[in-house]
C-alpha cells in the first residue's frame, strides 16, 4: 500500500511486522479448519443506525449485525469494539463469561479491519452507550492489511482517489457525495419519466465520431478489422429515434473524450441527453431550471447552496441573456451592430481577446470574447442563449439572424452545466455544416466532427422541430455536494499511473 512507502523507517518496520503477524493468524485459522474465506453467507437483521434510531423498541431483543472492526478496547475479560457497517458505527460489547470461552479467546485475536458477523442483544452500557452484547461472533473475512489510520490516517488525496475502497472505510463522510449522486440520478429519471420521456440505450462504440466537438478515443474491432470510436456524445443516435417517432427520449450514459484532466474534467464522465419533438430551446430552459432547482430542494432541502466559495441561489426564475448581450454588458462591445468579420476580430482584440489560431469570423470573435472574458464572471445561474452558428454545428439557425443559433448553455459559478439547442432538422444545411467539419479535420483539427451519411439520410426522411438538452451529471453533483473537484464525485476517477 502507499502508506507503507510513505511511512518513516520505524513505522515501515512496524508495518512489515504487522503484515507478517496477520498472515500467521490466517494460517493458524486455516490449520484449525476455521478459514474465514470459506464463509459464504451471514444473515443480517439490523444495521447500526437502525438500531440507534429504534433503540427503545429494540432494547433487549436479539439481532444479527455484520461489519468491520474499527477499534478495540479492553480485551481482558471484557472487550469493546466499534463495528462499522454501511449505515455507520455501533459499539460491540463482549464478555468472556457470556460467550463460549474458546470463541471469546479467538475473538480477542481479531484485528482492526477484520469483518465479523455478530449475534447478540441490543442493550445500553452503564455509561449509557447504545451497544450490541455479543453472544456469537464469527470471523467472515480477514484483513491482511492494516487500515491506514495506524499511520496517521488516509489524508493524501491522490491515495484516496486511487484507493477509493480504503477512503470509504476510513473516511465514511465521503459516502455522502455518492449517496447524493445516486439520489440525483434517481430524481432525474423520475423527473423525466413523469413527463413522458422514455429511457433508451445507444452504442458506446461507433464507426464515426460525432455529436460534439472533442477528440475521441480510438480502438480496433478485430473481427471487422475496423477502427471504432468511443462515443463523445449520444446526440446523433437519439435524434435518429426522434425521426423514428419516439417523441421524447433520454439516455443516461458514460461519455469518453481524449482530452485534458483538471478539477472540472475527467476523460470519462456521465451525461444525460434528452430530446423532445415539437419543442424548442425555450422549453429546454424551462425543463432544465425545473429539474436542477427541484433536485436541490428535494435532495439538499432548499435552493441555497455553497459551491467554490460562493453562495448560490437556485430559486427558479434564472436570468436569460444572449451571448451578444452578455458580451456587451461585461465588455462594452456591441457585436449585433457589427457586420464585418474583420471589424469583429478587431473589436475582440481591442478588449484583450487572443484570436491567434482562431478562425477570423464574426461568430468566432463573439464566442472568444465570451469564452475568454465573460464566462468567468457568471456566478449565479444564468442561461446564455443565441450562440454563433460557427461554433454550433448541430443547432438550428435563428430565423431572426442567420449568424446565430437557437442554443443555450447554463452557467453556474463559472462552470458550464448543460448545453441545449433547437435542433437542426434541415438536411441540406446539416450537410453543409458537416462538410465544414470535415474540412477542418483535414486541416489538422482532430476535434472536428466527421461526415455522418446515415444521420443525413435520417434527416431526409424528416425530423420534426425538436428541442434537445445535454446535462453534465458530474458537474450537477459537484454543485449539490459543494465539491471543488470532479474527482470527489466520481468513485474511480482516471489517475496517472504510478511509476
Amino acid at each position: 500500500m502507499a502508506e507503507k512507502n510513505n511511512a518513516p523507517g520505524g513505522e515501515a518496520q512496524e508495518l512489515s511486522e504487522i503484515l507478517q503477524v496477520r498472515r500467521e493468524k490466517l494460517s493458524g485459522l486455516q490449520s484449525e479448519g476455521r478459514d474465514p474465506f470459506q464463509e459464504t453467507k451471514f444473515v443480517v437483521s439490523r444495521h447500526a443506525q437502525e438500531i440507534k434510531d429504534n433503540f427503545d423498541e429494540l432494547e433487549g431483543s436479539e439481532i444479527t449485525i455484520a461489519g468491520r472492526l474499527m477499534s478495540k478496547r479492553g480485551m481482558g475479560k471484557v472487550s469493546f469494539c466499534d463495528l462499522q457497517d454501511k449505515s455507520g458505527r455501533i459499539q460491540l460489547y463482549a464478555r468472556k463469561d457470556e460467550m463460549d470461552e474458546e470463541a471469546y479467546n479467538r475473538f480477542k485475536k481479531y484485528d482492526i479491519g477484520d469483518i465479523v458477523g455478530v449475534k447478540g442483544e441490543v442493550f445500553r452500557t452503564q455509561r449509557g452507550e447504545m451497544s450490541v452484547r455479543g453472544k456469537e461472533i464469527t470471523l467472515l473475512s480477514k484483513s491482511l492489511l492494516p487500515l491506514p489510520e495506524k499511520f496517521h490516517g488516509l489524508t493524501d488525496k491522490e491515495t484516496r482517489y486511487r484507493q477509493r475502497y480504503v477512503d470509504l472505510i476510513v473516511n465514511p463522510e465521503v459516502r455522502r457525495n455518492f449517496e447524493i449522486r445516486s439520489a440525483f440520478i434517481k430524481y432525474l429519471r423520475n423527473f423525466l419519466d413523469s413527463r413522458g420521456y422514455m429511457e433508451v440505450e445507444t452504442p458506446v462504440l461507433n464507426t464515426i465520431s460525432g455529436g460534439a466537438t472533442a477528440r475521441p478515443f480510438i480502438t480496433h474491432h478485430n473481427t471487422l478489422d475496423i477502427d471504432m470510436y468511443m462515443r463523445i456524445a449520444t446526440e446523433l443516435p437519439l435524434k435518429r429515434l426522434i425521426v423514428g417517432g419516439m417523441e421524447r427520449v433520454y439516455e443516461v450514459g458514460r461519455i469518453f473524450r481524449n482530452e485534458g484532466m483538471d478539477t472540472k474534467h475527467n476523460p470519462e464522465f456521465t451525461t444525460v441527453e434528452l430530446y423532445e419533438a415539437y419543442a424548442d430551446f425555450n422549453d429546454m430552459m424551462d425543463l432544465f431550471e425545473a429539474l436542477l432547482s427541484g433536485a436541490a430542494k428535494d435532495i439538499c432541502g432548499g435552493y441555497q447552496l455553497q459551491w467554490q466559495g460562493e453562495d448560490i441561489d437556485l430559486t427558479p426564475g434564472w436570468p436569460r441573456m444572449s451571448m451578444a448581450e452578455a458580451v456587451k454588458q461585461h465588455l462594452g462591445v456591441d457585436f449585433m451592430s457589427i457586420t464585418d468579420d474583420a471589424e469583429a476580430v478587431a473589436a475582440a482584440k481591442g478588449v484583450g481577446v487572443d484570436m491567434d489560431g482562431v478562425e477570423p469570423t464574426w461568430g468566432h470573435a463573439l464566442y472568444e470574447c465570451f469564452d475568454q472574458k465573460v464566462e468567468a464572471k457568471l456566478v449565479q445561474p444564468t442561461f446564455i442563449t443565441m450562440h454563433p452558428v460557427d461554433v454550433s454545428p448541430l443547432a438550428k439557425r435563428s430565423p431572426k439572424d442567420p449568424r446565430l443559433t437557437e442554443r443555450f448553455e447554463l452557467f453556474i459559478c463559472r462552470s458550464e452545466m448543460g448545453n441545449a439547442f433547437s435542433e437542426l432538422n434541415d438536411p441540406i444545411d446539416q450537410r453543409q455544416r458537416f462538410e465544414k467539419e470535415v474540412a477542418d479535420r483535414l486541416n489538422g483539427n482532430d476535434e472536428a466532427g466527421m461526415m455522418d451519411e446515415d444521420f443525413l439520410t435520417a434527416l431526409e426522411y424528416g425530423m420534426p422541430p425538436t428541442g434537445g438538452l445535454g446535462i453534465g451529471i458530474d458537474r450537477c453533483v459537484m454543485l449539490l455536494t459543494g465539491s471543488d473537484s470532479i474527482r470527489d464525485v466520481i468513485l474511480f476517477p482516471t489517475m496517472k499511473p504510478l511509476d
Side-chain angles (χ1 to χ4, degrees):
M1 288 182 65
E3 289 71 41
K4 178 179 180 180
N5 295 330
N6 294 333
E11 292 180 350
Q13 181 179 355
E14 183 182 349
L15 177 57
S16 177
E17 293 172 356
I18 289 172
L19 300 181
Q20 181 63 33
V21 167
R22 291 197 177 202
R23 276 167 168 73
E24 289 173 356
K25 286 183 179 181
L26 173 63
S27 179
L29 289 167
Q30 291 171 331
S31 65
E32 295 171 5
R34 298 182 181 278
D35 187 349
F37 298 124
Q38 291 191 5
E39 296 288 341
T40 58
K41 182 175 180 177
F42 185 86
V43 177
V44 173
S45 66
R46 301 289 180 178
H47 290 96
Q49 192 60 46
E50 182 184 6
I51 293 171
K52 292 179 178 179
D53 291 342
N54 301 278
F55 182 82
D56 290 342
E57 175 188 340
L58 294 173
E59 186 174 13
S61 64
E62 185 175 275
I63 58 94
T64 55
I65 187 171
R68 190 180 297 272
L69 297 177
M70 300 301 294
S71 70
K72 296 171 65 177
R73 302 174 297 282
M75 306 312 293
K77 294 183 178 180
V78 179
S79 302
F80 297 90
C81 300
D82 282 333
L83 183 75
Q84 178 171 291
D85 64 14
K86 69 174 185 177
S87 70
R89 294 189 184 188
I90 194 165
Q91 181 171 267
L92 175 60
Y93 173 93
R95 288 181 63 95
K96 185 175 184 179
D97 57 4
E98 294 179 352
M99 294 177 60
D100 176 81
E101 182 175 352
E102 185 179 346
Y104 180 80
N105 290 333
R106 285 197 303 269
F107 170 65
K108 289 200 326 182
K109 297 179 182 179
Y110 294 168
D111 293 306
I112 293 174
D114 287 353
I115 297 174
V116 300
V118 180
K119 180 178 180 181
E121 175 189 322
V122 175
F123 86 114
R124 193 185 295 274
T125 65
Q126 290 181 346
R127 292 187 176 183
E129 181 79 15
M130 289 182 281
S131 307
V132 175
R133 187 193 303 270
K135 302 295 185 182
E136 298 176 16
I137 303 176
T138 305
L139 182 61
L140 302 176
S141 183
K142 183 68 185 167
S143 175
L144 299 179
L145 289 169
L147 295 178
E149 60 249 62
K150 174 68 179 177
F151 298 113
H152 317 305
L154 185 65
T155 56
D156 177 70
K157 281 213 164 189
E158 284 280 318
T159 305
R160 289 176 57 194
Y161 296 145
R162 293 180 190 279
Q163 297 182 316
R164 182 70 81 185
Y165 43 91
V166 184
D167 187 25
L168 289 166
I169 294 170
V170 301
N171 300 312
E173 69 278 3
V174 169
R175 184 192 301 267
R176 172 184 172 273
N177 283 1
F178 301 103
E179 290 172 343
I180 289 177
R181 183 187 182 101
S182 179
F184 177 68
I185 294 174
K186 180 179 180 180
Y187 182 92
L188 165 71
R189 284 192 161 104
N190 290 338
F191 181 93
L192 294 175
D193 291 345
S194 69
R195 284 161 175 75
Y197 284 82
M198 186 171 99
E199 184 172 9
V200 298
E201 295 175 304
T202 62
V204 172
L205 291 175
N206 296 280
T207 55
I208 292 173
S209 176
T213 300
R215 183 181 296 111
F217 287 96
I218 304 174
T219 186
H220 190 78
H221 191 292
N222 292 333
T223 301
L224 297 177
D225 193 24
I226 58 171
D227 285 342
M228 300 192 77
Y229 303 88
M230 299 183 74
R231 66 184 179 193
I232 59 173
T234 54
E235 179 169 350
L236 301 186
L238 291 174
K239 289 202 284 193
R240 286 174 169 91
L241 299 181
I242 296 292
V243 171
M246 294 183 175
E247 295 183 0
R248 297 187 182 194
V249 295
Y250 75 95
E251 180 171 11
V252 176
R254 211 68 163 171
I255 301 298
F256 306 88
R257 297 185 181 179
N258 195 356
E259 299 171 338
M261 299 187 296
D262 57 33
T263 57
K264 296 180 182 177
H265 297 88
N266 194 66
E268 55 177 310
F269 56 98
T270 306
T271 67
V272 58
E273 287 201 42
L274 59 98
Y275 294 86
E276 179 178 340
Y278 312 111
D280 69 1
F281 79 135
N282 291 299
D283 297 301
M284 297 297 102
M285 274 189 274
D286 294 340
L287 185 146
F288 198 178
E289 183 176 296
L291 168 64
L292 195 50
S293 63
K297 187 174 183 180
D298 184 78
I299 298 169
C300 302
Y303 298 127
Q304 312 302 318
L305 302 176
Q306 287 189 324
W307 188 30
Q308 300 184 64
E310 305 283 358
D311 293 324
I312 306 298
D313 184 0
L314 296 182
T315 303
W318 303 344
R320 304 178 181 189
M321 66 174 67
S322 71
M323 184 175 288
E325 289 171 339
V327 168
K328 183 177 180 180
Q329 180 183 108
H330 290 279
L331 301 181
V333 181
D334 184 5
F335 271 86
M336 299 311 296
S337 67
I338 299 174
T339 57
D340 180 70
D341 285 342
E343 184 182 350
V345 172
K349 290 181 177 179
V351 292
V353 172
D354 182 5
M355 292 294 292
D356 290 345
V358 178
E359 192 173 348
T361 67
W362 180 92
H364 282 288
L366 170 58
Y367 175 77
E368 292 301 326
C369 281
F370 175 80
D371 184 58
Q372 295 182 34
K373 298 292 185 178
V374 178
E375 180 179 324
K377 302 177 185 294
L378 301 177
V379 174
Q380 299 304 324
T382 306
F383 289 109
I384 299 297
T385 68
M386 311 307 291
H387 295 215
V389 70
D390 292 345
V391 295
S392 309
L394 295 164
K396 181 173 285 191
R397 292 178 190 267
S398 167
K400 297 178 181 178
D401 190 333
R403 299 176 298 177
L404 302 174
T405 62
E406 291 195 340
R407 174 186 176 186
F408 76 77
E409 290 178 330
L410 172 66
F411 290 90
I412 302 177
C413 208
R414 302 170 288 274
S415 299
E416 177 200 336
M417 310 301 292
N419 188 20
F421 311 147
S422 293
E423 300 296 334
L424 177 60
N425 61 347
D426 179 345
I428 298 172
D429 189 355
Q430 183 65 80
R431 179 176 290 277
Q432 293 171 348
R433 299 197 209 181
F434 275 163
E435 287 172 348
K436 184 178 183 305
E437 291 282 301
V438 170
D440 288 345
R441 179 171 283 272
L442 291 174
N443 288 328
N445 181 4
D446 59 359
E447 293 188 0
M450 301 178 179
M451 181 69 72
D452 190 333
E453 289 289 351
D454 182 74
F455 179 67
L456 292 171
T457 298
L459 290 186
E460 288 176 353
Y461 277 102
M463 185 175 86
T466 298
L469 170 61
I471 301 172
I473 285 178
D474 308 290
R475 295 266 180 94
C476 291
V477 176
M478 287 174 66
L479 168 66
L480 296 175
T481 59
S483 300
D484 292 336
S485 172
I486 194 172
R487 293 181 176 184
D488 291 327
V489 299
I490 296 177
L491 279 167
F492 301 104
T494 303
M495 302 293 291
K496 181 180 179 181
L498 294 170
D499 294 333

PDB file of all heavy atoms in Angstrom, residues 21 46 61 78 80 190 193 231 339 388 390 450 455 489 491:
ATOM      1  N   VAL A  21       2.406 -10.850  10.983  1.00  0.00           N
ATOM      2  CA  VAL A  21       1.569 -11.384  12.053  1.00  0.00           C
ATOM      3  C   VAL A  21       0.176 -11.720  11.526  1.00  0.00           C
ATOM      4  O   VAL A  21      -0.397 -12.778  11.865  1.00  0.00           O
ATOM      5  CB  VAL A  21       1.476 -10.371  13.224  1.00  0.00           C
ATOM      6  CG1 VAL A  21       0.374 -10.771  14.198  1.00  0.00           C
ATOM      7  CG2 VAL A  21       2.809 -10.282  13.944  1.00  0.00           C
ATOM      8  N   ARG A  46     -30.292  -6.370  11.299  1.00  0.00           N
ATOM      9  CA  ARG A  46     -30.329  -4.948  11.622  1.00  0.00           C
ATOM     10  C   ARG A  46     -29.004  -4.292  11.236  1.00  0.00           C
ATOM     11  O   ARG A  46     -27.967  -4.956  11.183  1.00  0.00           O
ATOM     12  CB  ARG A  46     -30.567  -4.715  13.124  1.00  0.00           C
ATOM     13  CG  ARG A  46     -31.850  -5.309  13.669  1.00  0.00           C
ATOM     14  CD  ARG A  46     -33.077  -4.549  13.186  1.00  0.00           C
ATOM     15  NE  ARG A  46     -34.301  -5.152  13.723  1.00  0.00           N
ATOM     16  CZ  ARG A  46     -35.520  -4.676  13.495  1.00  0.00           C
ATOM     17  NH1 ARG A  46     -35.681  -3.597  12.742  1.00  0.00           N
ATOM     18  NH2 ARG A  46     -36.573  -5.272  14.012  1.00  0.00           N
ATOM     19  N   SER A  61     -33.785  -7.078  22.688  1.00  0.00           N
ATOM     20  CA  SER A  61     -34.084  -8.078  21.654  1.00  0.00           C
ATOM     21  C   SER A  61     -32.807  -8.626  21.045  1.00  0.00           C
ATOM     22  O   SER A  61     -31.748  -8.002  21.089  1.00  0.00           O
ATOM     23  CB  SER A  61     -34.962  -7.463  20.561  1.00  0.00           C
ATOM     24  OG  SER A  61     -34.271  -6.435  19.886  1.00  0.00           O
ATOM     25  N   VAL A  78     -13.398  -8.411  29.428  1.00  0.00           N
ATOM     26  CA  VAL A  78     -14.429  -7.617  28.769  1.00  0.00           C
ATOM     27  C   VAL A  78     -13.791  -6.879  27.601  1.00  0.00           C
ATOM     28  O   VAL A  78     -12.715  -6.294  27.740  1.00  0.00           O
ATOM     29  CB  VAL A  78     -15.077  -6.593  29.731  1.00  0.00           C
ATOM     30  CG1 VAL A  78     -16.131  -5.767  29.004  1.00  0.00           C
ATOM     31  CG2 VAL A  78     -15.685  -7.302  30.930  1.00  0.00           C
ATOM     32  N   PHE A  80     -14.446  -4.192  24.166  1.00  0.00           N
ATOM     33  CA  PHE A  80     -15.273  -3.211  23.470  1.00  0.00           C
ATOM     34  C   PHE A  80     -14.680  -2.993  22.075  1.00  0.00           C
ATOM     35  O   PHE A  80     -13.462  -2.860  21.924  1.00  0.00           O
ATOM     36  CB  PHE A  80     -15.295  -1.868  24.211  1.00  0.00           C
ATOM     37  CG  PHE A  80     -15.904  -1.931  25.582  1.00  0.00           C
ATOM     38  CD1 PHE A  80     -15.106  -2.201  26.698  1.00  0.00           C
ATOM     39  CD2 PHE A  80     -17.258  -1.704  25.763  1.00  0.00           C
ATOM     40  CE1 PHE A  80     -15.664  -2.243  27.962  1.00  0.00           C
ATOM     41  CE2 PHE A  80     -17.819  -1.757  27.033  1.00  0.00           C
ATOM     42  CZ  PHE A  80     -17.022  -2.030  28.133  1.00  0.00           C
ATOM     43  N   ASN A 190     -36.880   9.926 -12.465  1.00  0.00           N
ATOM     44  CA  ASN A 190     -38.284  10.099 -12.099  1.00  0.00           C
ATOM     45  C   ASN A 190     -38.869  11.357 -12.739  1.00  0.00           C
ATOM     46  O   ASN A 190     -40.017  11.365 -13.207  1.00  0.00           O
ATOM     47  CB  ASN A 190     -38.433  10.173 -10.573  1.00  0.00           C
ATOM     48  CG  ASN A 190     -38.161   8.848  -9.895  1.00  0.00           C
ATOM     49  OD1 ASN A 190     -38.251   7.789 -10.522  1.00  0.00           O
ATOM     50  ND2 ASN A 190     -37.821   8.887  -8.626  1.00  0.00           N
ATOM     51  N   ASP A 193     -39.260  10.569 -16.535  1.00  0.00           N
ATOM     52  CA  ASP A 193     -40.289   9.542 -16.741  1.00  0.00           C
ATOM     53  C   ASP A 193     -41.685  10.117 -16.521  1.00  0.00           C
ATOM     54  O   ASP A 193     -42.624   9.798 -17.263  1.00  0.00           O
ATOM     55  CB  ASP A 193     -40.067   8.369 -15.786  1.00  0.00           C
ATOM     56  CG  ASP A 193     -38.814   7.560 -16.105  1.00  0.00           C
ATOM     57  OD1 ASP A 193     -38.268   7.724 -17.216  1.00  0.00           O
ATOM     58  OD2 ASP A 193     -38.376   6.783 -15.229  1.00  0.00           O
ATOM     59  N   ARG A 231     -17.807   6.791 -27.894  1.00  0.00           N
ATOM     60  CA  ARG A 231     -18.683   7.931 -28.155  1.00  0.00           C
ATOM     61  C   ARG A 231     -18.261   9.170 -27.365  1.00  0.00           C
ATOM     62  O   ARG A 231     -17.854   9.092 -26.211  1.00  0.00           O
ATOM     63  CB  ARG A 231     -20.130   7.583 -27.845  1.00  0.00           C
ATOM     64  CG  ARG A 231     -20.436   7.316 -26.384  1.00  0.00           C
ATOM     65  CD  ARG A 231     -21.873   6.899 -26.207  1.00  0.00           C
ATOM     66  NE  ARG A 231     -22.177   6.620 -24.802  1.00  0.00           N
ATOM     67  CZ  ARG A 231     -23.276   6.009 -24.396  1.00  0.00           C
ATOM     68  NH1 ARG A 231     -24.183   5.603 -25.272  1.00  0.00           N
ATOM     69  NH2 ARG A 231     -23.490   5.800 -23.111  1.00  0.00           N
ATOM     70  N   THR A 339     -21.124  44.020 -38.644  1.00  0.00           N
ATOM     71  CA  THR A 339     -21.490  43.095 -39.724  1.00  0.00           C
ATOM     72  C   THR A 339     -20.277  42.493 -40.419  1.00  0.00           C
ATOM     73  O   THR A 339     -20.384  41.463 -41.068  1.00  0.00           O
ATOM     74  CB  THR A 339     -22.357  43.819 -40.781  1.00  0.00           C
ATOM     75  OG1 THR A 339     -21.622  44.960 -41.280  1.00  0.00           O
ATOM     76  CG2 THR A 339     -23.674  44.287 -40.162  1.00  0.00           C
ATOM     77  N   PRO A 388     -23.208  31.732 -31.753  1.00  0.00           N
ATOM     78  CA  PRO A 388     -22.898  31.828 -33.180  1.00  0.00           C
ATOM     79  C   PRO A 388     -22.984  30.484 -33.880  1.00  0.00           C
ATOM     80  O   PRO A 388     -22.625  29.444 -33.304  1.00  0.00           O
ATOM     81  CB  PRO A 388     -21.455  32.355 -33.193  1.00  0.00           C
ATOM     82  CG  PRO A 388     -21.260  32.995 -31.863  1.00  0.00           C
ATOM     83  CD  PRO A 388     -22.101  32.210 -30.908  1.00  0.00           C
ATOM     84  N   ASP A 390     -21.111  29.462 -36.139  1.00  0.00           N
ATOM     85  CA  ASP A 390     -19.757  28.953 -36.381  1.00  0.00           C
ATOM     86  C   ASP A 390     -19.326  27.930 -35.341  1.00  0.00           C
ATOM     87  O   ASP A 390     -18.479  27.062 -35.630  1.00  0.00           O
ATOM     88  CB  ASP A 390     -18.755  30.114 -36.370  1.00  0.00           C
ATOM     89  CG  ASP A 390     -18.932  31.052 -37.553  1.00  0.00           C
ATOM     90  OD1 ASP A 390     -19.627  30.668 -38.513  1.00  0.00           O
ATOM     91  OD2 ASP A 390     -18.388  32.171 -37.499  1.00  0.00           O
ATOM     92  N   MET A 450     -17.109  14.419 -38.082  1.00  0.00           N
ATOM     93  CA  MET A 450     -16.983  13.678 -39.329  1.00  0.00           C
ATOM     94  C   MET A 450     -18.311  13.697 -40.073  1.00  0.00           C
ATOM     95  O   MET A 450     -19.367  13.972 -39.504  1.00  0.00           O
ATOM     96  CB  MET A 450     -16.570  12.228 -39.049  1.00  0.00           C
ATOM     97  CG  MET A 450     -15.258  12.062 -38.312  1.00  0.00           C
ATOM     98  SD  MET A 450     -14.902  10.321 -37.986  1.00  0.00           S
ATOM     99  CE  MET A 450     -13.320  10.472 -37.159  1.00  0.00           C
ATOM    100  N   PHE A 455     -26.874   9.642 -40.697  1.00  0.00           N
ATOM    101  CA  PHE A 455     -27.657  10.651 -39.986  1.00  0.00           C
ATOM    102  C   PHE A 455     -28.322  11.611 -40.971  1.00  0.00           C
ATOM    103  O   PHE A 455     -29.482  11.998 -40.785  1.00  0.00           O
ATOM    104  CB  PHE A 455     -26.770  11.418 -39.005  1.00  0.00           C
ATOM    105  CG  PHE A 455     -27.505  12.490 -38.252  1.00  0.00           C
ATOM    106  CD1 PHE A 455     -28.500  12.159 -37.334  1.00  0.00           C
ATOM    107  CD2 PHE A 455     -27.233  13.830 -38.469  1.00  0.00           C
ATOM    108  CE1 PHE A 455     -29.196  13.147 -36.643  1.00  0.00           C
ATOM    109  CE2 PHE A 455     -27.918  14.821 -37.776  1.00  0.00           C
ATOM    110  CZ  PHE A 455     -28.900  14.473 -36.867  1.00  0.00           C
ATOM    111  N   VAL A 489     -16.543  13.405  -6.928  1.00  0.00           N
ATOM    112  CA  VAL A 489     -17.891  12.894  -7.193  1.00  0.00           C
ATOM    113  C   VAL A 489     -17.878  11.729  -8.179  1.00  0.00           C
ATOM    114  O   VAL A 489     -18.933  11.261  -8.616  1.00  0.00           O
ATOM    115  CB  VAL A 489     -18.827  14.021  -7.698  1.00  0.00           C
ATOM    116  CG1 VAL A 489     -18.961  15.107  -6.641  1.00  0.00           C
ATOM    117  CG2 VAL A 489     -18.356  14.608  -9.016  1.00  0.00           C
ATOM    118  N   LEU A 491     -16.470   7.877  -8.354  1.00  0.00           N
ATOM    119  CA  LEU A 491     -15.921   6.875  -7.440  1.00  0.00           C
ATOM    120  C   LEU A 491     -14.507   6.466  -7.825  1.00  0.00           C
ATOM    121  O   LEU A 491     -13.629   6.331  -6.967  1.00  0.00           O
ATOM    122  CB  LEU A 491     -16.831   5.642  -7.405  1.00  0.00           C
ATOM    123  CG  LEU A 491     -18.057   5.753  -6.495  1.00  0.00           C
ATOM    124  CD1 LEU A 491     -19.037   4.629  -6.773  1.00  0.00           C
ATOM    125  CD2 LEU A 491     -17.657   5.764  -5.023  1.00  0.00           C
TER     126      LEU A 491
END
